[in-house]
Amino acid sequence: MTELRHRGAKEGESPLEQQPSEDKGSDSELKADKDGVSDESKVDSGVPEVPVPPDDTPEVLNKALSGLSSRWKNWWVRGILTLAMISFFFFIIYLGPMVLMMIVLCVQIKCFHEIITIGYNVYHSYDLPWFRTLSWYFLLCVNYFFYGETVTDYFFTLVQREEPLRILSKYHRFISFALYLTGFCMFVLSLVKKHYRLQFYMFGWTHVTLLIVVTQSHLIIHNLFEGMIWFIVPISCVICNDIMAYMFGFFFGRTPLIKLSPKKTWEGFIGGLFATIVFGIMLSYVMAGYRYFVCPVEFNNDSNRFQVDCEPSELFQLQEYSLPGVLESVTGWTTVHLYPFQIHSIALSSFASIVGPFGGFFASGFKRAFKIKDFANTIPGHGGIMDRFDCQYIMATFVNVYIASFIRGPNPSKVVQQLLALRSDQQLYIFNSLKAHLTEKGLLRAAEAAA
């Protein structure tokens, strides 16, 4: 038994599959056989494998590519579907930021469904009570909390103008906490004697999934509100890196990069890095010249519509930069005109190429732990939606942190909106305090202040 247990660990079994002390049971557990404790040990031991999804490649492609080897057939299937997804991406960009936000929400729900389905399939034979219902309930609660915070933060004027929204905003966190507590109590009430361990596995599974999927998709929405360029460029860099790393690896790959993904090579990794940096700089140059992409998404009180219109900041205005001596000797140029955002795009594309793939490696490790090839078979040749967004989520977190650390400053319009929502005496107090501060600094003359 010990030899078999060690052999299973060496072959890459997941921790859930290795329950030596609990599966074997103590003497007291064996004596409590009549009370059903040993039954729990028997029921909880072992993890069934998730069935491998069937080949869902469209019949048209199967017939057209029937004469090719499996390697080249997969190359063409992935290529055709990649072009289709890129075309769809451009289409939803054309439809505007509100449609993009709805797409992000739909992707989030699908990714959550794929991960939860894996957990359900792994433990399907145990028929855990309320597992799926509670999982989706917690998803609803977390989305209510995050989207409520976003609406209050970015559309404060709209919230204050509408009475129902103002009440919901005022008690938003209390309502969110009450909703979560309801789900928590439902989980406790659903506990069944023979399934305690598995139910807590699933409780943790659901919450980790919420942390990975919902939290980071919420950050994508925040990036979008800062300007569509902060949404499109990072996502495009990840897509470009994925494509170019695959292309370089397919044609030139010889040296394995990481054991979790045997098909990943150093040649693909390095080639994807340089191609993505060049792509990021070029895409940023094209997009930085359009207000539609660089202006924050704001709510217009007069037209009662969301708008994307502003005077571009210095970040999106051409600046003259002197080239280092090395580049000057190579290009023959002394200066170049760039948007400052293009310099930031180098950091974004570098992260997408160097750290971003680790999101994919993490997903590969997760899939190997449960002996599955893909999260789902939604997209032929690519797997599930989560297989395409495993790197996007970690990229979204980086972009949000990057904006908060190096880009975003105080927003006067938000401060004014919050001041207008105060009582008259509070507004007068802030006015007098600000007037005294400006007078003391010499920015406002005493005579003008007195007047």
Side-chain angles (χ1 to χ4, degrees):
M1 178 66 70
T2 304
E3 181 183 354
L4 291 175
R5 190 181 303 126
H6 287 306
R7 186 181 302 168
K10 291 179 181 178
E11 292 175 355
E13 292 181 357
S14 66
L16 299 182
E17 298 175 45
Q18 302 170 26
Q19 304 289 346
S21 59
E22 293 179 341
D23 290 347
K24 188 175 180 180
S26 60
D27 293 336
S28 60
E29 288 177 328
L30 294 175
K31 292 179 181 179
D33 195 10
K34 294 180 180 180
D35 295 331
V37 178
S38 62
D39 290 339
E40 177 183 350
S41 298
K42 294 177 182 178
V43 171
D44 286 354
S45 61
V47 178
E49 292 185 17
V50 179
V52 179
D55 180 21
D56 63 339
T57 305
E59 189 64 27
V60 176
L61 289 180
N62 275 328
K63 290 182 178 179
L65 305 174
S66 58
L68 299 177
S69 64
S70 59
R71 181 170 181 261
W72 280 99
K73 179 182 176 182
N74 181 64
W75 190 90
W76 278 104
V77 170
R78 287 176 64 95
I80 293 171
L81 269 297
T82 297
L83 291 176
M85 288 188 289
I86 292 175
S87 301
F88 177 71
F89 181 59
F90 283 131
F91 176 69
I92 61 175
I93 290 173
Y94 169 76
L95 294 178
M98 293 300 108
V99 176
L100 280 174
M101 283 187 281
M102 294 303 299
I103 293 295
V104 170
L105 178 60
C106 293
V107 167
Q108 173 213 116
I109 293 173
K110 179 57 180 172
C111 290
F112 181 83
H113 171 259
E114 290 178 358
I115 298 177
I116 289 299
T117 299
I118 291 175
Y120 182 77
N121 287 336
V122 167
Y123 299 103
H124 181 70
S125 59
Y126 301 111
D127 193 23
L128 299 182
W130 296 5
F131 165 55
R132 279 192 164 181
T133 303
L134 284 174
S135 296
W136 288 104
Y137 177 80
F138 282 125
L139 176 68
L140 177 66
C141 292
V142 174
N143 272 308
Y144 175 81
F145 171 74
F146 279 128
Y147 279 88
E149 294 282 315
T150 300
V151 170
T152 302
D153 187 26
Y154 285 95
F155 310 114
F156 187 78
T157 304
L158 174 63
V159 170
Q160 293 300 314
R161 194 179 62 186
E162 303 291 337
E163 183 66 22
L165 292 178
R166 186 162 62 249
I167 295 173
L168 289 174
S169 174
K170 183 178 181 180
Y171 303 106
H172 174 68
R173 296 199 174 187
F174 179 80
I175 295 173
S176 301
F177 183 64
L179 289 173
Y180 181 82
L181 277 183
T182 302
F184 179 80
C185 294
M186 290 170 61
F187 169 74
V188 174
L189 293 174
S190 72
L191 291 174
V192 179
K193 187 175 183 181
K194 294 184 179 182
H195 303 307
Y196 290 152
R197 190 189 317 166
L198 290 178
Q199 287 180 286
F200 278 100
Y201 282 160
M202 292 299 95
F203 186 77
W205 184 295
T206 299
H207 281 67
V208 171
T209 304
L210 292 172
L211 176 65
I212 294 175
V213 176
V214 181
T215 305
Q216 298 188 67
S217 64
H218 174 69
L219 296 180
I220 294 178
I221 299 295
H222 271 248
N223 300 339
L224 179 59
F225 277 116
E226 295 294 328
M228 291 179 65
I229 195 170
W230 291 105
F231 172 86
I232 298 172
V233 169
I235 285 183
S236 300
C237 285
V238 172
I239 294 173
C240 174
N241 180 256
D242 189 42
I243 294 173
M244 298 310 297
Y246 176 77
M247 295 290 287
F248 277 94
F250 185 87
F251 290 105
F252 309 108
R254 296 293 182 271
T255 313
L257 175 64
I258 187 171
K259 291 183 178 180
L260 280 174
S261 298
K263 295 183 179 180
K264 304 290 185 182
T265 63
W266 276 105
E267 290 81 3
F269 182 80
I270 296 173
L273 169 63
F274 286 104
T276 304
I277 291 176
V278 173
F279 171 81
I281 294 174
M282 295 173 62
L283 179 63
S284 300
Y285 180 81
V286 173
M287 297 185 64
Y290 295 90
R291 293 187 180 187
Y292 180 74
F293 295 121
V294 304
C295 290
V297 180
E298 296 178 343
F299 182 79
N300 190 310
N301 294 316
D302 299 328
S303 62
N304 289 328
R305 296 177 60 185
F306 296 101
Q307 66 177 21
V308 183
D309 188 26
C310 67
E311 186 64 33
S313 65
E314 293 184 357
L315 197 63
F316 305 106
Q317 296 178 9
L318 282 172
Q319 307 287 339
E320 188 176 14
Y321 294 93
S322 299
L323 286 177
V326 178
L327 293 179
E328 183 180 345
S329 61
V330 174
T331 61
W333 303 334
T334 56
T335 60
V336 291
H337 288 81
L338 298 172
Y339 293 102
F341 181 80
Q342 288 181 269
I343 300 175
H344 292 290
S345 73
I346 297 175
L348 299 179
S349 54
S350 297
F351 183 90
S353 304
I354 298 174
V355 184
F358 280 85
F361 300 152
F362 177 86
S364 296
F366 179 87
K367 290 182 284 188
R368 283 181 174 273
F370 294 97
K371 301 181 178 67
I372 56 176
K373 180 182 178 183
D374 298 310
F375 284 95
N377 59 344
T378 309
I379 310 172
H382 292 266
I385 300 296
M386 190 63 198
D387 291 284
R388 294 299 90 206
F389 279 81
D390 47 13
C391 301
Q392 296 287 4
Y393 283 126
I394 191 172
M395 185 70 193
T397 305
F398 172 75
V399 173
N400 191 268
V401 172
Y402 189 88
I403 293 174
S405 301
F406 305 108
I407 305 299
R408 185 189 296 134
N411 190 332
S413 62
K414 287 187 179 181
V415 175
V416 172
Q417 289 175 1
Q418 293 173 346
L419 289 176
L420 294 176
L422 298 176
R423 299 192 311 268
S424 299
D425 59 324
Q426 294 173 325
Q427 293 176 355
L428 188 60
Y429 170 76
I430 293 175
F431 171 75
N432 291 326
S433 300
L434 181 61
K435 182 172 66 175
H437 175 72
L438 294 176
T439 303
E440 182 182 350
K441 281 199 162 189
L443 299 176
L444 188 65
R445 295 178 182 177
E448 294 177 355

